[in-house]
Amino acid sequence: MAGKRTADGDASDPAPKKALTTSSTLASASSVPNNKTMPTNYSFIEKAPSGCCKIVTFNVNSLAASCKKGFKEYVVAEDPDILCLQETKANQPMAFLLSKTQYPHQTWHCSRAKKGYSGTAVFSKIKPLRVTTGFGAEPIDDEGRLITLEFDTFHLVACYVPNAGDKLVRLDRRMVWDDAMRTHLAALEQTKPVIYTGDLNVAHNEIDLARPDTNHRSAGFTDEERTSFSDMLRGATYPRVDAFRHLHPDTRAAAYTYFGYRAKCREKTLGWRLDYFVVSEPLLARVAGVVTRNQCYGASDHVPLLLYLRNVEADDDSKCSVETSGTKTESDETKDESDETKDKSDETKDEPLEAKDKPTDENVAKSE
């Protein structure tokens, strides 16, 4: 069995650098919001720093259900340049979810394994050069968990990593996925650095969950998963960096991105940090900040996480700039449809057909 990780992290991790100071990342446990519904006032959302792209990742735990709980209002207020969604549970693209005028480049990867399960989507104002879904191998791709977009100066890998499951029944499958992802990232890094984001379904170190002592054999905090994450950070071409933890090495409760619905986890701040932005080391200098939107709970059992990425110099031809026109790319999978066309994915039930693959609230609250 692999050795356990500590809250100190890898000795090879780069020294923390100064980050944007925001209340959402620096708050103490006692001041972390514990609201159970989405805000009605988003005045706390700050503008992106000048010259930065805003990338958001958000596990919505059923997009159809999330839309009824404030998801769209949040997106309007946040206005990200790129929005990465996980656990959409959509059986097909939701054609009218977000305007193609605002987000002309939309990609969906829906589960073929079962209906109302898993699924990812990416919405971008920035025109990608190339888009792919999955690893290109069955059956690892049948749950709709991976979208890869190539931009001018980086690859974006948006993903929903498989959970090890109740009693760790899917841990072996998870290890196969992790191996495939390390190979995928290494191949991409042969051409450009990578931003790897999404619900990565691991709390890397003890600081990344409220009750580490009672969860060492819980999905998301096993020695195997944590060691595998460390192996991914070591990289092949060059190291990769957990951007939030690099900038905020001591933040605990304010870093949590998941709070289970049961056992009053949100009320008691019994959370896990399961959502990440991992960047290839050459991109680290362009990371202006990583912010946990811990006020934005209620549309899902996760909160959004965002990254501010500095554009390259204006005189560089590969500048990351927002485009809303031009020839459609592979990412434009969703065709413009008439208003009369009803999106069948709206019929997706609010509740999953299968039990939600997440750390159980009983485990989170075990030591009460």
Side-chain angles (χ1 to χ4, degrees):
M1 183 177 293
K4 296 180 179 179
R5 304 294 302 153
T6 70
D8 296 327
D10 292 319
S12 59
D13 287 347
K17 295 184 179 180
K18 185 176 181 181
L20 296 174
T21 56
T22 67
S23 59
S24 55
T25 55
L26 300 182
S28 64
S30 61
S31 62
V32 172
N34 62 1
N35 54 299
K36 295 180 182 179
T37 58
M38 292 293 277
T40 56
N41 185 332
Y42 286 97
S43 59
F44 58 85
I45 291 183
E46 66 279 1
K47 292 184 179 180
S50 178
C52 287
C53 292
K54 180 193 285 189
I55 306 174
V56 168
T57 183
F58 192 6
N59 178 319
V60 292
N61 186 22
S62 173
L63 195 45
S66 188
C67 285
K68 299 174 183 178
K69 301 175 184 178
F71 166 78
K72 287 187 177 181
E73 291 81 357
Y74 162 71
V75 174
V76 169
E78 189 71 77
D79 192 26
D81 296 305
I82 303 173
L83 174 64
C84 307
L85 303 181
Q86 303 88 47
E87 207 170 358
T88 63
K89 298 181 182 176
N91 299 324
Q92 64 184 39
M94 297 172 67
F96 301 108
L97 180 69
L98 298 176
S99 166
K100 295 201 77 174
T101 300
Q102 183 180 19
Y103 291 101
H105 313 290
Q106 303 186 9
T107 306
W108 296 77
H109 192 199
C110 301
S111 172
R112 299 188 302 273
K114 62 182 85 170
K115 291 184 177 181
Y117 181 76
S118 187
T120 50
V122 176
F123 303 83
S124 181
K125 299 178 182 179
I126 305 167
K127 183 178 179 180
L129 303 177
R130 184 170 181 263
V131 178
T132 59
T133 57
F135 294 113
E138 296 291 349
I140 199 169
D141 287 339
D142 63 359
E143 293 180 351
R145 294 181 178 273
L146 174 63
I147 300 173
T148 302
L149 304 95
E150 180 183 0
F151 293 100
D152 287 338
T153 61
F154 63 91
H155 296 281
L156 178 66
V157 178
C159 127
Y160 177 34
V161 171
N163 187 274
D166 186 37
K167 298 183 180 179
L168 306 180
V169 295
R170 285 164 55 97
L171 182 58
D172 289 345
R173 179 183 175 93
R174 166 63 180 269
M175 294 297 100
V176 171
W177 170 279
D178 284 358
D179 287 343
M181 180 56 71
R182 283 193 292 271
T183 300
H184 184 59
L185 296 176
L188 294 173
E189 286 173 332
Q190 294 299 310
T191 58
K192 294 174 184 177
V194 167
I195 299 173
Y196 175 37
T197 188
D199 178 354
L200 305 190
N201 254 322
V202 62
H204 186 207
N205 292 308
E206 292 190 353
I207 194 174
D208 294 321
L209 71 165
R211 291 181 170 167
D213 292 345
T214 59
N215 281 287
H216 280 284
R217 293 310 294 167
S218 296
F221 196 60
T222 64
D223 294 342
E224 294 90 335
E225 291 164 295
R226 296 165 64 199
T227 299
S228 180
F229 191 84
S230 294
D231 291 342
M232 182 274 297
L233 289 180
R234 276 188 276 275
T237 305
Y238 28 64
R240 305 179 187 114
V241 182
D242 173 355
F244 179 89
R245 189 54 72 202
H246 173 74
L247 296 173
H248 306 289
D250 302 319
T251 302
R252 190 168 195 133
Y256 300 155
T257 60
Y258 165 77
F259 301 87
Y261 286 137
R262 295 175 293 172
K264 299 183 178 179
C265 290
R266 176 67 172 177
E267 180 180 333
K268 298 176 182 178
T269 321
L270 300 179
W272 296 56
R273 187 172 76 99
L274 300 178
D275 304 84
Y276 292 79
F277 282 100
V278 173
V279 301
S280 304
E281 193 173 51
L283 274 180
L284 188 58
R286 290 177 57 190
V287 174
V290 183
V291 178
T292 306
R293 286 280 188 241
N294 46 32
Q295 307 96 326
C296 298
Y297 183 85
S300 169
D301 50 4
H302 288 248
V303 298
L305 182 71
L306 68 92
L307 177 141
Y308 293 120
L309 183 71
R310 294 185 180 94
N311 295 331
V312 295
E313 294 301 322
D315 59 357
D316 189 320
D317 291 338
S318 62
K319 180 178 179 180
C320 175
S321 59
V322 175
E323 300 180 24
T324 57
S325 61
T327 304
K328 292 185 178 181
T329 69
E330 292 178 59
S331 63
D332 299 318
E333 293 181 349
T334 306
K335 303 297 183 181
D336 294 330
E337 299 180 27
S338 67
D339 289 341
E340 290 80 14
T341 303
K342 178 174 176 61
D343 178 13
K344 293 182 180 179
S345 63
D346 287 337
E347 299 172 2
T348 303
K349 292 183 179 180
D350 290 1
E351 297 298 324
L353 300 181
E354 299 290 333
K356 180 174 173 60
D357 287 336
K358 276 286 175 280
T360 64
D361 301 313
E362 288 83 355
N363 283 338
V364 175
K366 189 178 295 183
S367 63
E368 287 185 333

